[in-house]
Amino acid sequence: MNKLTIQIRPVTPPDVPAISALAREIWQASYPGIITQEQIDFMLEQRYGHERLYDDLEDADKWLDQAFHDGRRVGFAFSELYKGEFKLDKLYIHPDAQRQGVGGQLIAHVAARAAKLGYPCVILAVNKRNEKAIASYRKYGFSVRESVVDDIGHGFVMDDFVMEKKL
Ligand SMILES: CC(C)(COP(=O)(O)OP(=O)(O)OC[C@H]1O[C@@H](n2cnc3c(N)ncnc32)[C@H](O)[C@@H]1OP(=O)(O)O)[C@@H](O)C(=O)NCCC(=O)NCCS
């Protein structure tokens, strides 16, 4: 694997439109075949609408990190405190930059934060059909803890594995 050197910086309000656009680009490249286009559009609006991202930036229990390579934004990782646990909530790498260690470096960054705050593990939820992501999480020390089906409204469900990485 040819590893990309990245710089990790916190997302700030002026970054919001670019993060939202990057999310759409990555979701459109990744999720057709896993969830419907209607669900992609619904979830993008729900999670990456500008107002939602500005609210996330104000939330003391959320951390929004972005990765740059040679000045280009190549991905992002959002983490949060969720029901008393430390959760990697979003991890998205641009298709051109995938499989070059960017996801692994962002996972390490988030895991270091969780460890520093005293949490025993990092958890995440991943679609059961997202085999590439599941392979990647296994590579970085996550294993499946449980299987969940969450109703997210408007007739959509998230059919996920919850995975955890012990610290
Ligand atoms: C899943 C994702 C975050 C991993 O980040 P990444 O930077 O590509 O991953 P890394 O380069 O650090 O790790 C690579 C490992 O991931 C897995 N992987 C990544 N892309 C893969 C692919 N296209 N096919 C098979 N395995 C893949 C492999 O285990 C790989 O290890 P290997 O190259 O030694 O075989 C990234 O590919 C991505 O953003 N995918 C699309 C969006 C997504 O599914 N996000 C996760 C939502 S829960």
PDB file of all heavy atoms in Angstrom, residues 113-130:
ATOM      1  N   ARG A 113      -7.794  10.092  20.747  1.00  0.00           N
ATOM      2  CA  ARG A 113      -8.644  11.029  21.507  1.00  0.00           C
ATOM      3  C   ARG A 113      -9.482  10.257  22.533  1.00  0.00           C
ATOM      4  O   ARG A 113      -9.572  10.656  23.692  1.00  0.00           O
ATOM      5  CB  ARG A 113      -9.543  11.799  20.537  1.00  0.00           C
ATOM      6  CG  ARG A 113     -10.576  12.670  21.232  1.00  0.00           C
ATOM      7  CD  ARG A 113     -11.467  13.386  20.239  1.00  0.00           C
ATOM      8  NE  ARG A 113     -10.754  14.358  19.439  1.00  0.00           N
ATOM      9  CZ  ARG A 113     -10.825  14.440  18.103  1.00  0.00           C
ATOM     10  NH1 ARG A 113     -11.583  13.589  17.415  1.00  0.00           N
ATOM     11  NH2 ARG A 113     -10.148  15.356  17.447  1.00  0.00           N
ATOM     12  N   ALA A 114     -10.078   9.141  22.090  1.00  0.00           N
ATOM     13  CA  ALA A 114     -10.919   8.352  23.002  1.00  0.00           C
ATOM     14  C   ALA A 114     -10.091   7.840  24.181  1.00  0.00           C
ATOM     15  O   ALA A 114     -10.535   7.884  25.336  1.00  0.00           O
ATOM     16  CB  ALA A 114     -11.539   7.181  22.244  1.00  0.00           C
ATOM     17  N   ALA A 115      -8.875   7.368  23.877  1.00  0.00           N
ATOM     18  CA  ALA A 115      -8.016   6.837  24.947  1.00  0.00           C
ATOM     19  C   ALA A 115      -7.642   7.952  25.923  1.00  0.00           C
ATOM     20  O   ALA A 115      -7.684   7.767  27.144  1.00  0.00           O
ATOM     21  CB  ALA A 115      -6.764   6.219  24.338  1.00  0.00           C
ATOM     22  N   LYS A 116      -7.320   9.125  25.380  1.00  0.00           N
ATOM     23  CA  LYS A 116      -6.931  10.258  26.228  1.00  0.00           C
ATOM     24  C   LYS A 116      -8.079  10.662  27.162  1.00  0.00           C
ATOM     25  O   LYS A 116      -7.856  11.063  28.298  1.00  0.00           O
ATOM     26  CB  LYS A 116      -6.549  11.427  25.311  1.00  0.00           C
ATOM     27  CG  LYS A 116      -5.809  12.532  26.003  1.00  0.00           C
ATOM     28  CD  LYS A 116      -5.284  13.539  24.984  1.00  0.00           C
ATOM     29  CE  LYS A 116      -4.939  14.837  25.692  1.00  0.00           C
ATOM     30  NZ  LYS A 116      -4.820  15.952  24.749  1.00  0.00           N
ATOM     31  N   LEU A 117      -9.298  10.508  26.669  1.00  0.00           N
ATOM     32  CA  LEU A 117     -10.465  10.866  27.490  1.00  0.00           C
ATOM     33  C   LEU A 117     -10.865   9.722  28.432  1.00  0.00           C
ATOM     34  O   LEU A 117     -11.822   9.854  29.198  1.00  0.00           O
ATOM     35  CB  LEU A 117     -11.653  11.232  26.581  1.00  0.00           C
ATOM     36  CG  LEU A 117     -11.485  12.542  25.797  1.00  0.00           C
ATOM     37  CD1 LEU A 117     -12.613  12.689  24.767  1.00  0.00           C
ATOM     38  CD2 LEU A 117     -11.458  13.744  26.728  1.00  0.00           C
ATOM     39  N   GLY A 118     -10.151   8.592  28.347  1.00  0.00           N
ATOM     40  CA  GLY A 118     -10.377   7.507  29.297  1.00  0.00           C
ATOM     41  C   GLY A 118     -11.409   6.475  28.887  1.00  0.00           C
ATOM     42  O   GLY A 118     -11.822   5.650  29.705  1.00  0.00           O
ATOM     43  N   TYR A 119     -11.817   6.494  27.626  1.00  0.00           N
ATOM     44  CA  TYR A 119     -12.809   5.494  27.181  1.00  0.00           C
ATOM     45  C   TYR A 119     -12.113   4.156  26.881  1.00  0.00           C
ATOM     46  O   TYR A 119     -11.001   4.146  26.361  1.00  0.00           O
ATOM     47  CB  TYR A 119     -13.578   6.014  25.961  1.00  0.00           C
ATOM     48  CG  TYR A 119     -14.531   7.110  26.353  1.00  0.00           C
ATOM     49  CD1 TYR A 119     -14.114   8.445  26.347  1.00  0.00           C
ATOM     50  CD2 TYR A 119     -15.805   6.814  26.807  1.00  0.00           C
ATOM     51  CE1 TYR A 119     -14.961   9.454  26.777  1.00  0.00           C
ATOM     52  CE2 TYR A 119     -16.656   7.823  27.228  1.00  0.00           C
ATOM     53  CZ  TYR A 119     -16.234   9.132  27.207  1.00  0.00           C
ATOM     54  OH  TYR A 119     -17.064  10.126  27.646  1.00  0.00           O
ATOM     55  N   PRO A 120     -12.786   3.026  27.179  1.00  0.00           N
ATOM     56  CA  PRO A 120     -12.145   1.730  26.986  1.00  0.00           C
ATOM     57  C   PRO A 120     -12.196   1.218  25.539  1.00  0.00           C
ATOM     58  O   PRO A 120     -11.476   0.290  25.181  1.00  0.00           O
ATOM     59  CB  PRO A 120     -12.966   0.792  27.889  1.00  0.00           C
ATOM     60  CG  PRO A 120     -14.321   1.433  27.959  1.00  0.00           C
ATOM     61  CD  PRO A 120     -14.099   2.915  27.863  1.00  0.00           C
ATOM     62  N   CYS A 121     -13.084   1.810  24.728  1.00  0.00           N
ATOM     63  CA  CYS A 121     -13.193   1.336  23.343  1.00  0.00           C
ATOM     64  C   CYS A 121     -13.781   2.438  22.464  1.00  0.00           C
ATOM     65  O   CYS A 121     -14.319   3.433  22.968  1.00  0.00           O
ATOM     66  CB  CYS A 121     -14.059   0.076  23.258  1.00  0.00           C
ATOM     67  SG  CYS A 121     -15.761   0.312  23.774  1.00  0.00           S
ATOM     68  N   VAL A 122     -13.646   2.252  21.155  1.00  0.00           N
ATOM     69  CA  VAL A 122     -14.326   3.100  20.165  1.00  0.00           C
ATOM     70  C   VAL A 122     -15.359   2.212  19.489  1.00  0.00           C
ATOM     71  O   VAL A 122     -15.052   1.069  19.123  1.00  0.00           O
ATOM     72  CB  VAL A 122     -13.349   3.638  19.098  1.00  0.00           C
ATOM     73  CG1 VAL A 122     -14.099   4.432  18.031  1.00  0.00           C
ATOM     74  CG2 VAL A 122     -12.267   4.493  19.729  1.00  0.00           C
ATOM     75  N   ILE A 123     -16.573   2.716  19.328  1.00  0.00           N
ATOM     76  CA  ILE A 123     -17.598   1.948  18.616  1.00  0.00           C
ATOM     77  C   ILE A 123     -17.956   2.651  17.304  1.00  0.00           C
ATOM     78  O   ILE A 123     -17.641   3.844  17.107  1.00  0.00           O
ATOM     79  CB  ILE A 123     -18.873   1.751  19.471  1.00  0.00           C
ATOM     80  CG1 ILE A 123     -19.534   3.097  19.805  1.00  0.00           C
ATOM     81  CG2 ILE A 123     -18.557   0.971  20.740  1.00  0.00           C
ATOM     82  CD1 ILE A 123     -20.973   2.959  20.299  1.00  0.00           C
ATOM     83  N   LEU A 124     -18.618   1.942  16.429  1.00  0.00           N
ATOM     84  CA  LEU A 124     -19.140   2.526  15.185  1.00  0.00           C
ATOM     85  C   LEU A 124     -20.272   1.653  14.690  1.00  0.00           C
ATOM     86  O   LEU A 124     -20.438   0.515  15.140  1.00  0.00           O
ATOM     87  CB  LEU A 124     -18.028   2.647  14.127  1.00  0.00           C
ATOM     88  CG  LEU A 124     -17.323   1.365  13.685  1.00  0.00           C
ATOM     89  CD1 LEU A 124     -18.133   0.581  12.636  1.00  0.00           C
ATOM     90  CD2 LEU A 124     -15.968   1.692  13.086  1.00  0.00           C
ATOM     91  N   ALA A 125     -21.059   2.187  13.758  1.00  0.00           N
ATOM     92  CA  ALA A 125     -22.102   1.404  13.089  1.00  0.00           C
ATOM     93  C   ALA A 125     -21.811   1.434  11.591  1.00  0.00           C
ATOM     94  O   ALA A 125     -21.493   2.486  11.034  1.00  0.00           O
ATOM     95  CB  ALA A 125     -23.481   2.001  13.376  1.00  0.00           C
ATOM     96  N   VAL A 126     -21.908   0.266  10.959  1.00  0.00           N
ATOM     97  CA  VAL A 126     -21.616   0.175   9.524  1.00  0.00           C
ATOM     98  C   VAL A 126     -22.676  -0.702   8.865  1.00  0.00           C
ATOM     99  O   VAL A 126     -23.083  -1.717   9.431  1.00  0.00           O
ATOM    100  CB  VAL A 126     -20.178  -0.372   9.290  1.00  0.00           C
ATOM    101  CG1 VAL A 126     -19.973  -1.744   9.941  1.00  0.00           C
ATOM    102  CG2 VAL A 126     -19.834  -0.437   7.810  1.00  0.00           C
ATOM    103  N   ASN A 127     -23.121  -0.295   7.694  1.00  0.00           N
ATOM    104  CA  ASN A 127     -24.111  -1.078   6.957  1.00  0.00           C
ATOM    105  C   ASN A 127     -23.584  -2.502   6.717  1.00  0.00           C
ATOM    106  O   ASN A 127     -22.434  -2.680   6.315  1.00  0.00           O
ATOM    107  CB  ASN A 127     -24.423  -0.394   5.613  1.00  0.00           C
ATOM    108  CG  ASN A 127     -25.589  -1.037   4.902  1.00  0.00           C
ATOM    109  OD1 ASN A 127     -25.511  -2.173   4.420  1.00  0.00           O
ATOM    110  ND2 ASN A 127     -26.696  -0.321   4.826  1.00  0.00           N
ATOM    111  N   LYS A 128     -24.459  -3.471   6.978  1.00  0.00           N
ATOM    112  CA  LYS A 128     -24.022  -4.874   6.868  1.00  0.00           C
ATOM    113  C   LYS A 128     -23.537  -5.231   5.471  1.00  0.00           C
ATOM    114  O   LYS A 128     -22.781  -6.182   5.295  1.00  0.00           O
ATOM    115  CB  LYS A 128     -25.181  -5.810   7.242  1.00  0.00           C
ATOM    116  CG  LYS A 128     -25.466  -5.812   8.724  1.00  0.00           C
ATOM    117  CD  LYS A 128     -26.771  -6.539   9.056  1.00  0.00           C
ATOM    118  CE  LYS A 128     -27.146  -6.272  10.503  1.00  0.00           C
ATOM    119  NZ  LYS A 128     -28.565  -6.440  10.777  1.00  0.00           N
ATOM    120  N   ARG A 129     -23.982  -4.483   4.456  1.00  0.00           N
ATOM    121  CA  ARG A 129     -23.572  -4.804   3.078  1.00  0.00           C
ATOM    122  C   ARG A 129     -22.327  -4.036   2.644  1.00  0.00           C
ATOM    123  O   ARG A 129     -21.861  -4.199   1.514  1.00  0.00           O
ATOM    124  CB  ARG A 129     -24.736  -4.513   2.130  1.00  0.00           C
ATOM    125  CG  ARG A 129     -25.942  -5.388   2.467  1.00  0.00           C
ATOM    126  CD  ARG A 129     -27.169  -4.961   1.709  1.00  0.00           C
ATOM    127  NE  ARG A 129     -27.068  -5.266   0.294  1.00  0.00           N
ATOM    128  CZ  ARG A 129     -27.920  -4.855  -0.621  1.00  0.00           C
ATOM    129  NH1 ARG A 129     -28.964  -4.126  -0.278  1.00  0.00           N
ATOM    130  NH2 ARG A 129     -27.766  -5.178  -1.882  1.00  0.00           N
ATOM    131  N   ASN A 130     -21.804  -3.188   3.522  1.00  0.00           N
ATOM    132  CA  ASN A 130     -20.647  -2.360   3.163  1.00  0.00           C
ATOM    133  C   ASN A 130     -19.361  -3.150   3.447  1.00  0.00           C
ATOM    134  O   ASN A 130     -18.617  -2.884   4.396  1.00  0.00           O
ATOM    135  CB  ASN A 130     -20.685  -1.046   3.952  1.00  0.00           C
ATOM    136  CG  ASN A 130     -19.729  -0.013   3.389  1.00  0.00           C
ATOM    137  OD1 ASN A 130     -18.882  -0.335   2.548  1.00  0.00           O
ATOM    138  ND2 ASN A 130     -19.851   1.217   3.849  1.00  0.00           N
TER     139      ASN A 130
END
